[in-house]
Amino acid sequence: ADFDGADARVISTPRWEGKTLTGAAYVQHHMFPNFYFHATTAYDILRWKGLPIGKRDYTGRVRVK
């Protein structure tokens, strides 16, 4: 119930200087890119430090039929 209508809520932060996004636009244009940037950067740093990880460790198991 807490998330009902969250896609239409108005989101704003002080650094946006009065500009707003809907909840859906915030997730699509701010949250997801920010999350994937940091996940990719962490992956890159771990590989650079010598951790033997590869694409499957990053993307997970592909569930095909």
Side-chain angles (χ1 to χ4, degrees):
D2 290 339
F3 296 101
D4 288 344
D7 60 332
R9 288 185 192 154
V10 176
I11 310 290
S12 182
T13 67
R15 68 185 173 99
W16 292 348
E17 300 174 350
K19 296 177 183 169
T20 62
L21 289 172
T22 63
Y26 175 81
V27 169
Q28 183 179 7
H29 298 292
H30 185 76
M31 192 205 74
F32 278 153
N34 196 36
F35 170 80
Y36 284 113
F37 167 79
H38 286 90
T40 302
T41 301
Y43 171 81
D44 292 340
I45 291 169
L46 292 172
R47 294 236 4 206
W48 178 62
K49 290 288 190 176
L51 191 67
I53 57 176
K55 182 178 180 179
R56 286 189 181 179
D57 297 303
Y58 177 76
T59 60
R61 184 172 179 229
V62 177
R63 293 173 179 90
V64 295
K65 293 181 180 184

